[in-house]
Amino acid sequence: MFGYRARIGYISPSVIELNAYDFYRIVPNGVGLIAVACMVEGWKEDAYKKALSQVESCARDLARRSCDFVVHGGAPLVLSQGKGFEMKLLAQLKEITGVPCTTSIVAAMDAFRDLSATRLAVVDPYPPDLNTKMTGYLKEWGFEVESLVSLGTSFTGSSIVSIGDIYRAAKRAIKGAPNAEAVFIPCANFPVVDVIEDIETDFGLPVITNITSQLYVAFKAIGMREKVSGYGKLMQIL
């Protein structure tokens, strides 16, 4: 049976590119991905609202697929709407799907808390206006972005960034935040999983990424306690 240990529903923010690839590299045997997409068309307000209008129909599709947990992907869609929107969205998703749910930015914050990290060094591909919103949003929840290095890619170009560029950006971010307690690398379509362990080993800080925080929260919620090696400290504290 496909997904005999767990079936994780995923509402992708856009084209499913790295999401599924990274998912199956990390999860234990017997865990399956059931994915749909709400097709955000860029890092801009009208695109966020259009994509959010598709979430209900995406959730209803997943509700028919026997998911054990549902993840809504795409931190920009949620944080752009301001603090409080995430709780309304999660309530809607839980009502439709009947299972526990999270969304990207909530999963990340849950991971920060479990790692006792409030001061962050951030690396991402986002434009300046989105980074300003993200920094303000996290601050409202009690998290300080002490440094931020953006690779400034296009919306469709984030997946083809080199892992070397991400590593070097993390090095700069950590250098700029001597009191940082964790490195946060958001974005669903950012090829970061291959450098999580390198960054943690070389700089001594835990790395929280989009995919690892979502899987960590999902596995905790459904009682799956198998520790996963090779993808950072977070997946080892399950």
Side-chain angles (χ1 to χ4, degrees):
M1 173 188 166
F2 174 76
Y4 65 90
R5 294 178 73 187
R7 294 166 63 90
I8 308 298
Y10 182 59
I11 302 176
S12 176
S14 188
V15 172
I16 298 169
E17 200 169 345
L18 289 176
N19 322 55
Y21 174 65
D22 289 343
F23 180 96
Y24 282 112
R25 293 176 68 191
I26 296 171
V27 300
N29 290 337
V31 179
L33 175 70
I34 301 92
V36 291
C38 62
M39 297 308 296
V40 65
E41 295 172 352
W43 289 317
K44 49 192 178 182
E45 288 295 332
D46 59 340
Y48 303 150
K49 292 185 182 298
K50 183 177 179 181
L52 286 169
S53 72
Q54 304 302 311
V55 168
E56 181 177 344
S57 63
C58 288
R60 294 195 184 284
D61 286 338
L62 293 177
R64 295 192 290 268
R65 295 296 196 277
S66 301
C67 297
D68 299 297
F69 191 93
V70 168
V71 175
H72 172 263
L77 279 71
V78 175
L79 64 86
S80 65
Q81 307 305 303
K83 184 181 179 182
F85 176 80
E86 70 292 318
M87 294 297 107
K88 295 176 184 176
L89 177 64
L90 290 179
Q92 179 189 30
L93 290 175
K94 290 174 184 176
E95 182 178 358
I96 293 171
T97 63
V99 298
C101 303
T102 194
T103 190
S104 294
I105 195 67
V106 172
M109 293 192 295
D110 285 344
F112 301 156
R113 294 184 187 101
D114 284 3
L115 290 167
S116 300
T118 59
R119 298 190 296 272
L120 310 171
V122 178
V123 175
D124 65 34
Y126 298 150
D129 62 326
L130 179 52
N131 277 322
T132 297
K133 289 176 183 175
M134 180 177 68
T135 299
Y137 179 89
L138 289 172
K139 187 177 181 64
E140 285 195 88
W141 282 100
F143 302 102
E144 292 291 336
V145 175
E146 299 216 334
S147 69
L148 191 154
V149 176
S150 173
L151 296 183
T153 74
S154 67
F155 179 72
T156 57
S158 61
S159 66
I160 56 175
V161 169
S162 79
I163 60 173
D165 286 342
I166 294 174
Y167 176 90
R168 288 189 290 272
K171 185 176 182 178
R172 293 199 303 275
I174 293 165
K175 185 177 181 180
N179 295 317
E181 297 164 320
V183 180
F184 178 36
I185 309 181
C187 187
N189 213 27
F190 210 33
V192 67
V193 297
D194 285 315
V195 289
I196 294 173
E197 293 267 302
D198 293 337
I199 295 167
E200 291 196 350
T201 298
D202 292 352
F203 305 112
L205 293 176
V207 176
I208 295 93
T209 73
N210 190 72
I211 185 68
T212 55
S213 59
Q214 290 170 359
L215 289 174
Y216 170 76
V217 169
F219 288 176
K220 274 188 66 178
I222 62 178
M224 191 168 188
R225 299 297 182 179
E226 182 172 342
K227 299 182 190 308
V228 179
S229 61
Y231 300 99
K233 180 179 179 180
L234 185 65
M235 299 303 291
Q236 285 285 304
I237 64 171
L238 282 164

